């Protein structure tokens, strides 16, 4: 419980943001919340969060802002739409902790512009899914200054079991795109491995048990396949559309840096080309899609 009750405003109360807001409220922060959806605001209110009718109300009252928004464009438009309000908040350094999976260039640009107004911006994307958000056990990868991280640490530690400072602004986004490129690849490689087992007359469940006791395992094979793919549940809470975005951003980063990644090219084309699956489908369906086709 913080000594003086700190006010944290959470913008975006979706699969991740709602859990994070609930965690902050449970841990004693005065937690305000805003989402475009009235249904999400109501769910947040039921979870002990104080819903706000506008982002401006939330920004005006908060010392820390936690973003959990779909894309870098959403993050940019929320910040740009409230720069005047933030400019007026003198005498208090507001820190934005952006947990969205966003773009390094956008984070760097926003951090620079907010710094000029005396405020801080940390790119702080997360891993751990809705369950990690709701239990305060996320892994967070952070880009930004040591000073802003020190200020934000109590809020970050309430949400994350592991908080890794990767480097300056944008570094957290780069690390997250690397991570999700690997997770996207593992979803395909694990599924292809099980498809091979099946084609060769081995029970895929038995093959998966072997992989998870041997060197082929990943978190995708250890957690996602048993929990969401083999069980046919497909309700991990992370959408195809958001994973497609991450793979697209990883490819964009490879193109802009000149990194030659032949397997990543193939992964990107498989995620973009799996048109049987809608953006609204759970991303774990990609494992089953590949096993059956
Ligand atoms: P989501 O689609 O469930 O939630 C996003 C929420 O943001 C929605 O409720 C939407 O109404 C709201 N929103 C959109 N624009 C807004 C705006 N301008 N103002 C206020 N609210 C707005 O998405 P999610 O799964 O919670 O993911 C959020 C972010 O976290 C994404 O960047 C995603 O890539 C990342 N992420 C998701 C997971 C996961 O497992 N779901 C894991 C790690 C990271």
């Amino acid at each position: 419980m913080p000594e003086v009750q700190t006010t944290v405003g959470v913008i975006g109360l979706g699969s991740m943001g709602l859990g994070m807001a609930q965690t902050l409220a449970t841990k004693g922060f005065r937690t305000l919340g805003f989402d475009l959806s009235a249904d999400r605001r109501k769910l947040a209110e039921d979870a002990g969060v104080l819903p706000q009718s506008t982002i401006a109300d939330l920004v005006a009252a908060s010392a820390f802002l936690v973003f959990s928004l779909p894309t870098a464009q959403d993050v940019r438009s929320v910040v740009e739409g409230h720069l005047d309000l933030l400019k007026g908040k003198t005498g208090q350094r507001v820190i934005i902790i952006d947990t969205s999976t966003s773009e390094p260039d956008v984070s760097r640009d926003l951090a620079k512009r907010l710094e000029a107004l005396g405020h801080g911006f940390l790119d702080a994307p997360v891993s751990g899914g809705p369950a990690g958000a709701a239990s305060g056990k996320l892994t967070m990868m952070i880009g930004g200054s040591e000073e802003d991280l020190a200020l934000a640490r109590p809020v970050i530690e309430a949400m994350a079991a592991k908080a890794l400072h990767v480097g300056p602004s944008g570094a957290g986004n780069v690390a997250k795109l690397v991570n999700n490129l690997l997770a996207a690849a593992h979803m395909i490689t694990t599924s292809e491995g099980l498809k091979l087992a099946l084609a060769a007359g081995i029970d895929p469940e038995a093959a998966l048990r072997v992989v998870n006791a041997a060197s082929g395992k990943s978190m995708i094979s250890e957690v996602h396949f048993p929990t969401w793919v083999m069980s046919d549940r497909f309700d991990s809470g992370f959408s195809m559309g958001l994973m497609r975005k991450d793979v697209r951003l990883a490819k964009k980063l490879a193109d802009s840096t000149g990194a030659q990644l032949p397997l990543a090219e193939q992964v990107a084309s498989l995620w973009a080309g799996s048109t049987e699956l809608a953006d609204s489908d759970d991303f774990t369906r990609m494992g089953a899609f590949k096993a059956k086709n």
Side-chain angles (χ1 to χ4, degrees), residues 11-17 34-37 40 55 68-71 74 77-78 99-102 126-130 176 180 236-239 242 245-246:
I11 303 177
L13 301 165
S15 303
M16 298 298 286
F34 178 81
D35 195 288
L36 293 176
S37 149
R40 301 307 295 183
I55 296 182
S68 179
L69 294 167
T71 67
D74 298 312
S77 69
V78 168
T99 71
S100 322
T101 304
S102 179
V126 291
S127 180
K176 174 65 178 171
N180 276 28
S236 78
F238 185 45
S239 69
L242 288 176
K245 170 199 69 170
D246 297 350

Side-chain angles (χ1 to χ4, degrees), residues 172-237:
N173 294 145
V174 173
K176 174 65 178 171
L177 296 180
V178 167
N179 181 75
N180 276 28
L181 174 62
L182 291 177
H186 291 156
M187 187 59 79
I188 294 170
T189 55
T190 306
S191 150
E192 288 195 357
L194 299 189
K195 187 175 172 184
L196 177 59
L198 194 60
I202 301 289
D203 174 9
E205 301 264 4
L208 186 63
R209 280 198 297 278
V210 170
V211 166
N212 284 334
S215 53
K217 76 177 168 190
S218 63
M219 191 180 277
I220 293 289
S221 71
E222 270 194 307
V223 176
H224 293 70
F225 267 74
T227 313
W228 293 296
V229 179
M230 308 302 265
S231 65
D232 279 340
R233 278 178 48 193
F234 304 116
D235 60 352
S236 78

Side-chain angles (χ1 to χ4, degrees), residues 22 48 63 72 90 94 102 112 126 128 139 156 194 203 216 222 232 274:
Q22 179 169 17
T90 51
V94 175
S102 179
K112 200 167 144 201
V126 291
T139 292
I156 285 172
L194 299 189
D203 174 9
E222 270 194 307
D232 279 340
S274 52

Side-chain angles (χ1 to χ4, degrees), residues 51-161:
Q52 304 295 297
S53 9
T54 67
I55 296 182
D57 290 342
L58 178 146
V59 171
S62 300
F64 295 91
L65 298 170
V66 174
F67 286 11
S68 179
L69 294 167
T71 67
Q73 288 65 41
D74 298 312
V75 173
R76 185 189 280 289
S77 69
V78 168
V79 172
E80 288 182 342
H82 298 86
L83 281 176
D84 283 346
L85 180 55
L86 285 162
K87 193 174 177 183
K89 280 189 82 142
T90 51
Q92 179 191 28
R93 188 171 178 82
V94 175
I95 311 284
I96 295 175
I97 302 163
D98 179 20
T99 71
S100 322
T101 304
S102 179
E103 302 185 35
D105 287 347
V106 173
S107 293
R108 289 183 196 116
D109 176 53
L110 295 177
K112 200 167 144 201
R113 290 163 69 189
L114 285 160
E115 183 61 49
L117 302 180
H119 301 304
F121 182 100
L122 298 169
D123 45 298
V126 291
S127 180
S135 59
K137 293 208 164 69
L138 292 166
T139 292
M140 193 176 273
M141 40 224 103
I142 302 163
S145 73
E146 293 278 5
E147 293 76 14
D148 284 340
L149 177 54
L151 287 171
R153 209 166 260 290
V155 180
I156 285 172
E157 285 181 351
M159 296 186 285

Side-chain angles (χ1 to χ4, degrees), residues 242-287:
L242 288 176
M243 187 51 123
R244 283 186 175 124
K245 170 199 69 170
D246 297 350
V247 175
R248 200 166 54 239
L249 291 179
K251 181 168 165 19
K252 188 174 155 194
L253 194 61
D255 292 344
S256 69
T257 55
Q260 301 288 312
L261 308 176
L263 181 58
E265 292 275 343
Q266 189 65 15
V267 169
S269 112
L270 287 168
W271 278 88
S274 52
T275 46
E276 295 86 340
L277 299 176
D279 277 350
S280 54
D281 281 330
D282 197 89
F283 93 112
T284 53
R285 285 203 179 271
M286 191 67 175

